Structure formats: structure tokens, C-alpha cells
Amino acid sequence: MEKIVQTAGRDALGKFAPAFAHYNDDVLFGENWNDAGLDVKTRSLITVVALMASGVTDSSLKFHLQNAKNHGVTQREIAAAVTHVAFYAGWPKAWAVFNMAKDVWDVEGSTEGVGASSAADGATEGVPAGAAADDARARHEASMPFPIGAPNDAFAQYFVGQSYLAPVSTDQVGVFNVTFEPGCRNNWHVHHATEGGGQILVCVAGRGYYQEWGKPAVEMRPGDVVNIPPEVKHWHGAAADSWFSHLAIEVPGKSTSNEWLEPVADKEYAAL
């Protein structure tokens, strides 16, 4: 069985709650998920059922639905499991799970967004918006060597739209693949440091923008690199009609911190 390695706890809470981060990464997703008593497919399905029974229907459920699919759970199997559990856990909970599962398994006939046409999600007439968005996501992920990762919930309050985070390396220098859905961007922010510090962005897929305060926005495409000095107010994110992924490389320094500021105004973003 392929060993499962998780770093989300340390990435999001390593400094704030190191004990919780340890239990999350090393025990829950370490010892527990790597226990040979259950295969990963079965464990993934059980996790979905447990979340459903507990009434958890946020992004963590969608992550585990995708995880179940990635480990071999078929549409027929997830439908049968959720239907069975609905009699014990509650019918409304089953509806909540199915509303996410039909997007994860890209089910034809979904009623969400039928007939919609949008450059942002790639939907075309007669194709469910959810299915089109999933197809656009799959094509984007296939275009780069790094995974999209999990929903970037720890920093969601500082983003307009949905972003995702996949740690690439955390041992020496922090390197993270940050992915933005079409139209998603982070707030204006500043990387502070008394010495060194700042950030380097390397576009790996899609199309997006980087902008410094008082300067025109710079378009970023695969291979483009942006060096962000400390104390510079800036933002970065996807174009309105494209997914966008960049590596975020944390430059070591002294007394480093991030200051999150106001969102990018819709009028300014729409003018790009």
C-alpha cells in the first residue's frame, strides 16, 4: 500500500497549534490512514459515511469524496453507500452528500446550471455547469506536474473565490503549489521582514495576474517568475476565464510575517 503523507496540519496550524498539527498529520492521517487493517478504498468510503452521519457537509466532505473516487470507489458504489446510510443517518444528509458527489463523479444529467454558458467555468449549452467545471479542473491539473491539493480553508477569509493548496516542500524552504479557480484572487497583502524575506512566484499552469500597489497588473503564464520584495503591497490570482496555479516560494528572513489587507475591488479586477 502506498504510504499516505499529510502536511496540512503543520502548514495551517504548525505554529498556532503544534500538538493538533502533529495529531492531524502523524496520527490521524499518518498511523491511522496507513494501518494495513483496511485498504485505502474501504477506509475512504467509511470516512465519507462517518462525515455524512455527523452532518459534516463542508469542503472536507468534498475532499474525502474526491479521495474515495481517487482510490477506486465507483459512482455506483458511492450511490449505494449513501442511499443505505440515509435510512440510518437521515435523508437530508444524503441529499447534501449527493449534491457534492454528483460533481465529483461528473454525473450526466445533473440539474445544476443546465443550459448555462460561461467562459469562466467552461460550461456549454446543455452541459451541466458542475460537470463542465470538473472537466476544466481535470484538464488544468493534467497540464502541470503538481497536484491541485486540498481547499485552502485556513486562508479562505483572505481570498475572493476558491483556492487550493498543495505543499511541495516544507523541509528547508517552504514551497507550495497554490491553485486559483477562474476569477479567484487573494486580497492585497504585504510580506514583512526585518531582513531577507519576501516571496517568489513561479507560474506552472493556466493564466493569472500579479499586481503591485500603484503599478499595472502583470499577466502570468507558465514559466513566468515574479520576485516579490518584502514590504511591497500586492495581490495575485487567476484570470476571470482561466484556472491558475503558481508555486509560492517563501524567502527565508528574520521577523517574517504576512499582513492581509482589503480585497481587490471588483471594478479594478473586471478592468483587467
Side-chain angles (χ1 to χ4, degrees):
M1 182 176 72
E2 180 182 355
K3 184 177 181 180
I4 294 172
V5 178
Q6 177 65 271
T7 63
R10 287 187 173 86
D11 296 337
L13 297 170
K15 294 182 179 179
F16 188 82
F20 182 91
H22 159 65
Y23 295 136
N24 183 85
D25 296 351
D26 302 331
V27 181
L28 171 58
F29 287 101
E31 296 176 15
N32 180 56
W33 273 83
N34 288 296
D35 188 289
L38 287 173
D39 62 83
V40 181
K41 176 182 176 181
T42 302
R43 197 180 299 275
S44 300
L45 188 57
I46 291 174
T47 302
V48 170
V49 169
L51 292 173
M52 172 183 168
S54 300
V56 177
T57 56
D58 60 10
S59 59
S60 61
L61 172 60
K62 190 161 189 178
F63 170 80
H64 282 288
L65 284 167
Q66 185 65 57
N67 195 47
K69 180 183 177 183
N70 292 345
H71 287 103
V73 176
T74 66
Q75 176 193 328
R76 182 177 180 180
E77 289 171 332
I78 195 67
V82 173
T83 300
H84 175 76
V85 176
F87 285 95
Y88 296 90
W91 215 250
K93 292 177 181 177
W95 271 107
V97 176
F98 279 132
N99 282 334
M100 289 187 177
K102 66 184 180 183
D103 286 340
V104 172
W105 272 266
D106 196 10
V107 180
E108 292 186 9
S110 166
T111 58
E112 293 183 8
V114 173
S117 179
S118 169
D121 62 12
T124 54
E125 186 173 357
V127 177
D134 283 350
D135 180 62
R137 169 180 170 148
R139 285 186 279 108
H140 178 78
E141 188 161 24
S143 71
M144 63 179 173
F146 306 103
I148 285 179
N152 191 13
D153 293 339
F155 294 89
Q157 62 182 311
Y158 307 121
F159 284 72
V160 174
Q162 181 65 59
S163 67
Y164 302 85
L165 188 67
V168 176
S169 176
T170 57
D171 290 341
Q172 295 173 292
V173 176
V175 181
F176 302 87
N177 186 35
V178 186
T179 295
F180 304 75
E181 290 188 350
C184 175
R185 65 271 190 189
N186 52 31
N187 291 3
W188 291 99
H189 59 285
V190 177
H191 302 296
H192 294 299
T194 57
E195 182 179 320
Q199 192 177 60
I200 301 171
L201 307 181
V202 181
C203 179
V204 294
R207 185 172 69 90
Y209 296 99
Y210 166 80
Q211 185 175 20
E212 294 184 4
W213 185 258
K215 296 182 179 181
V218 177
E219 186 179 60
M220 295 190 68
R221 292 182 179 273
D224 289 339
V225 178
V226 170
N227 289 273
I228 308 172
E231 312 307 329
V232 172
K233 184 177 178 180
H234 65 283
W235 70 270
H236 34 105
D241 60 352
S242 175
W243 284 73
F244 174 58
S245 292
H246 65 58
L247 296 182
I249 303 171
E250 300 173 353
V251 180
K254 293 183 178 180
S255 301
T256 58
S257 65
N258 290 341
E259 180 183 4
W260 291 98
L261 304 168
E262 73 276 12
V264 179
D266 291 339
K267 184 177 181 180
E268 292 178 75
Y269 179 78
L272 296 175

